[in-house]
Structures are given as structure tokens and as C-alpha cells.
Amino acid sequence: MALRPVQVNIKAVDHAAVGRFWAEALGWSAYSGRTTYVGPAGGLVWPDPVVLGIDVVPVPQPKTAAKNRTHLDLATASAAHQAELVARLLALGATPADVGQGEVPWAVLADPEGNEFCVLEPREVYRDTGPIAAVVVDCADPRAMARFWGEATDWAPHEANDEFASLRSAGPYLEFLRVPGAKTTPDRVHLDLLPYPGDDNAAEVARLRALGATDLDIGQGDVPWTCLADPEGHEFCVLARS
């Protein structure tokens, strides 16, 4: 039994505008309705998406927390590509962000509603991930987070030490980066997971609870998905297939 990470959920006041930004950023298409789904051109492939997409969900409140504890890293193929992408994103409405990174070879930006992300310098490890290199989660214990998420999903361990751990299936990596300080506020970015065809949602949720996940009430009411938090409090959802 396992769950598939199928989309990165980003909260936004103007979901259509933020969705368009991310579609332009990734070279994908935006499909707007109740939310704005961002994925490769060619039409929606739900409920069996072939890539890790982005779902931009409307919320009434603007971002107020200092820094999201989950963010995206974007891949580039060359120094020229990195420079071109940064310039294009700034023209689309991104802004430079200072999260205490100091002098680094990557660019730290924020989308039009302040959600931080990085445009990486070219790295061989990300050459075949697609436009999203990694989903990066700030945490206190990378090894423990990798164990939980490795059990929760079918993504295989790639690297693990006291400062950094990563998992991967096809496409982007899921990375855990040790940072000081504990999570104190709800995040505006989280992962949504989906059972495989034929698997039982309730059984998968029970399995996650046994692994250390906890139930989460964020005011979602009666919805067909289940809101949970991992052992360090990072929100995520288990979606229903229908």
C-alpha cells in the first residue's frame, strides 16, 4: 500500500492569477474552475495525473507568515537559462525574497502573493526532473521525515543525513532540510496525496495514522478528502479518487 504525491497545493487570494503565474513559470497550462490546476498542456489527466502538478486554491486571507516551510525549487539547464528564467519570472510579477540565504548561487523569489521559491543554478542531479526540481520541506529531523514520507508514499530514499534527506519517484524530488525553530503556523503550501486505483482511502488514512500522522481541522468541514499532519505538523491531504 502506498500513496502518490499528485499535486502541490498553494493557497492564494486570487487563485486564477497565481495559477497563471505558475503556468508561465513552468511552461505549463492553467485550468481554472473552483480552483486553478497547473499542469502540462494537453488537458487534465485527473484522477491519474502523470506529473506532480500544482493546484492553486482560493482563500480569503493574504499570506502573513514570515516564510512557508514548504517551497518549490525550479530546475535550470545552464547559467544562461537560470538568468533568463529569473528575468522572465520577475517580469511576470515575482519579487526577490530574503530568507536569510546570504550569498548563494541560486535565486530566491516569491510568487505574486508572497510564496517563496528558488530558481536553482544548473545541477546534474536535477537534469531529468522536469521544470520542478524538488518540493522542499523545512524540518527539525530530516531522517525521521524521510522515514515517514517514504512509508507514506512509493517514493524511494535517495539520500539521508542529519541535515538533509530526499526521496524520489519519477519527476521532482521530495527533500527535507534541517532548519532551526519549530513549525508554529499553518502553511500556505502543502502536498496532496492520492491512493492508487483499487486501494481504499480509509485504509490508507488509517495506515498514515499508525505511522504518526494526526488528524487536522483547518475548518474544511464535510469534504471528500482527509486533512492530516505529518509528525512535525506539516499539513497534507489524502484525496478521494471520485
Side-chain angles (χ1 to χ4, degrees):
M1 298 175 71
L3 290 155
R4 300 168 55 199
V6 290
Q7 60 192 25
V8 178
N9 185 297
I10 298 177
K11 295 178 177 63
V13 174
D14 188 342
H15 68 95
V18 173
R20 288 192 298 270
F21 169 85
W22 281 104
E24 291 283 348
L26 302 175
W28 287 353
S29 296
Y31 307 89
S32 286
R34 182 182 59 84
T35 68
T36 299
Y37 180 80
V38 178
L44 293 174
V45 287
W46 195 259
D48 290 302
V50 296
V51 300
L52 184 73
I54 294 176
D55 193 33
V56 187
V57 177
V59 294
Q61 306 87 2
K63 181 176 182 286
T64 56
K67 177 183 181 293
N68 289 329
R69 289 180 69 89
T70 300
H71 72 267
L72 297 180
D73 282 352
L74 305 189
T76 62
S78 66
H81 180 206
Q82 183 188 24
E84 180 276 329
L85 180 56
V86 168
R88 185 162 60 83
L89 293 170
L90 292 172
L92 289 170
T95 53
D98 185 350
V99 294
Q101 69 269 22
E103 190 71 25
V104 292
W106 58 89
V108 183
L109 303 176
D111 74 13
E113 292 203 7
N115 299 298
E116 303 86 1
F117 66 97
C118 297
V119 180
L120 302 180
E121 77 284 4
R123 301 184 194 180
E124 180 64 19
V125 67
Y126 300 131
R127 65 181 175 81
D128 61 350
T129 61
I132 301 175
V135 180
V136 184
V137 180
D138 294 347
C139 64
D141 189 339
R143 290 183 189 273
M145 285 293 93
R147 284 194 298 270
F148 171 83
W149 283 93
E151 291 285 344
T153 71
D154 60 354
W155 289 25
H158 182 73
E159 182 179 351
N161 57 54
D162 291 341
E163 301 297 323
F164 175 84
S166 65
L167 307 170
R168 193 192 181 199
S169 182
Y173 288 79
L174 177 57
E175 299 179 345
F176 304 94
L177 180 66
R178 185 181 180 189
V179 298
K183 186 177 187 298
T184 58
T185 60
D187 214 347
R188 292 178 75 85
V189 181
H190 70 254
L191 279 172
D192 286 341
L193 311 182
L194 185 70
Y196 282 94
D199 285 351
D200 180 74
N201 276 58
E204 284 294 326
V205 169
R207 186 176 67 85
L208 293 171
R209 292 183 182 123
L211 291 171
T214 53
D215 292 295
L216 184 67
D217 185 353
I218 53 175
Q220 68 269 21
D222 186 14
V223 293
W225 58 88
T226 303
C227 298
L228 299 171
D230 73 15
E232 289 200 13
H234 303 100
E235 303 88 354
F236 67 97
C237 295
V238 178
L239 305 179
R241 294 194 61 82
S242 58

